[in-house]
Amino acid sequence: MGGKMERSTQGAAHSFVWPLLLFLLFIGSCLPTPLLARETALRVAFDEWPPWKMTTGQTMAGIDAAILERIGAQTSLQFEFVVAPWKRCIELLKDGEVDLITSFADNEERRAFADYVQPHYYLDAVRFYGLKGAGLVLERYEDLYGYRIGVVRGAHYDHRFDQDGKLEKEVVAHERQLKEMLFAGRIDLIIDWEVPFDYQAREMGSSALLKKYGFDLTAGDDDSGGRPLQHAYFMAFSKKSKKIHHKKEFASALHSMVSRGEIERIVQEVVAQQP
C-alpha cells in the first residue's frame, strides 16, 4: 500500500514538472534576441572624435568601433554604445553607468575609478599646431610661454603641461572649436594628438594652412630635441561596473590584436577611407 502511494506521488510530480519546464523553455524562446543582448552587453561610453570615434545616427564607426566589432567577433562579448560629450563620458564611467571607455589616457586621478586594460593599444604623437607664416618659434618646452594654447576640457596631454599654471591655456569643450579659434586669431597654438588632428584638419580642408611642431615636453633647457611626446591610448573598465568580470576575456582579445599588428592596420584602413 505504501509503495503504491509513493509511486503515485512521484508520477504526479513528474506530470506537473515537465509541462512547467516546457512552458518556461517556450517563454525563453519568445524573448527577443536584442533584449537579451542588451542585458549582457558591455555599455561603452562613446563621443564624437574622428577618426577614433564617429557617430552617424544610430551607427557607430571609426577606429575604436572597428576594434570592438572584431573583439566581439572573437569572443562572447557584445557592446552597447552610450553617446555623450567627452566630459560626460568620464562621469558615466566614474559613476558606473557605463562599463567601458576607449581612447582613454592613464593618469593617477583616473585610476581611482578606472580599471585600465594593460598594456596600451596604440601610441600616438602629441603635437602642437599653429598657422603657417605666424613666425612662432618652438624648439623646447620653455618656448611655449607667451603663447595662447588651445586645450580640450578634461583632456590629459602630459603631466608637466597639464599642471603648468604659468601657461596661457584657452579651454573649450570640443576640438573643432580650437581650429575655429586658431583661424580667427584667438589662440596661437593647439595641442593635440597627431592622428585625430591631422584627420580632422584634412576633413576641414585646412591642412595646407597649418604648421606642425613636435618636441619632448619633458625636455630641460639644454635639450631642444625635436622628438614628439608619445601619447598612449588605453581602454578601461569602470571600477563600479557589474560586468568587470569580463575584463580578462576582453584584455586577452585586445592584446592578441595588438600583437598581430591588427590595431595598426585598422588605423590605416579607417584613415584611408576618409572622403
Side-chain angles (χ1 to χ4, degrees):
M1 182 74 174
K4 290 181 181 179
M5 179 65 74
E6 182 179 350
R7 285 194 297 271
S8 175
T9 303
Q10 289 175 347
H14 288 166
S15 65
F16 172 77
V17 169
W18 281 108
L20 178 61
L21 289 175
L22 290 172
F23 175 76
L24 292 175
L25 287 171
F26 172 76
I27 292 297
S29 66
C30 292
L31 288 175
T33 301
L35 178 61
L36 294 174
R38 285 198 299 270
E39 292 177 352
T40 60
L42 295 175
R43 289 168 57 84
V44 184
F46 208 77
D47 68 319
E48 183 72 19
W49 194 43
W52 291 94
K53 293 173 277 193
M54 297 182 282
T55 60
T56 306
Q58 297 298 314
T59 303
M60 303 299 122
I63 297 166
D64 285 347
I67 292 172
L68 295 179
E69 181 179 2
R70 297 194 190 182
I71 289 177
Q74 298 169 21
T75 67
S76 63
L77 301 174
Q78 298 182 49
F79 304 96
E80 177 186 345
F81 295 93
V82 179
V83 179
W86 179 241
K87 190 71 173 177
R88 176 61 180 156
C89 285
I90 297 175
E91 292 300 318
L92 290 171
L93 189 79
K94 184 184 297 185
D95 295 339
E97 295 182 39
V98 296
D99 305 295
L100 184 70
I101 196 167
T102 66
S103 297
F104 206 47
D106 182 16
N107 62 60
E108 186 174 352
E109 177 186 346
R110 291 177 175 177
R111 287 185 212 127
F113 59 86
D115 191 354
Y116 284 85
V117 177
Q118 299 288 350
H120 59 266
Y121 66 99
Y122 192 77
L123 278 177
D124 200 357
V126 175
R127 300 284 196 176
F128 287 87
Y129 295 84
L131 293 177
K132 283 185 178 178
L136 307 185
V137 178
L138 280 182
E139 295 180 345
R140 57 187 182 180
Y141 182 89
E142 286 71 19
D143 292 334
L144 292 171
Y145 295 116
Y147 292 130
R148 297 165 298 172
I149 306 168
V151 301
V152 177
R153 181 179 291 109
H156 290 263
Y157 302 99
D158 170 81
H159 181 73
R160 180 181 182 184
F161 179 87
D162 295 339
Q163 301 299 319
D164 195 338
K166 296 180 181 179
L167 292 172
E168 187 177 349
K169 303 173 188 175
E170 297 291 336
V171 183
V172 300
H174 201 282
E175 284 166 312
R176 291 182 184 274
Q177 297 172 261
L178 293 178
K179 298 177 183 67
E180 296 171 0
M181 293 171 67
L182 183 66
F183 289 117
R186 294 167 56 193
I187 56 175
D188 304 303
L189 289 167
I190 296 172
I191 182 173
D192 210 337
W193 300 280
E194 190 169 37
V195 170
F197 188 94
D198 287 359
Y199 184 95
Q200 294 165 29
R202 289 191 298 270
E203 191 175 54
M204 295 175 65
S206 57
S207 297
L209 305 175
L210 299 168
K211 181 174 180 179
K212 186 188 305 186
Y213 301 87
F215 57 89
D216 187 351
L217 285 177
T218 61
D221 294 342
D222 58 346
D223 186 0
S224 59
R227 293 170 281 108
L229 175 76
Q230 296 295 307
H231 174 80
Y233 290 71
F234 288 88
M235 296 202 185
F237 279 76
S238 169
K239 287 188 174 181
K240 292 185 178 180
S241 169
K242 296 179 181 178
K243 301 170 186 173
I244 200 168
H245 56 279
H246 290 300
K247 182 188 174 188
K248 184 176 180 180
E249 181 182 10
F250 181 91
S252 177
L254 182 62
H255 180 69
S256 295
M257 291 180 68
V258 173
S259 300
R260 295 194 302 267
E262 196 169 350
I263 304 295
E264 184 60 47
R265 287 193 294 273
I266 290 174
V267 172
Q268 293 175 2
E269 288 169 5
V270 173
V271 170
Q273 292 169 5
Q274 185 175 14

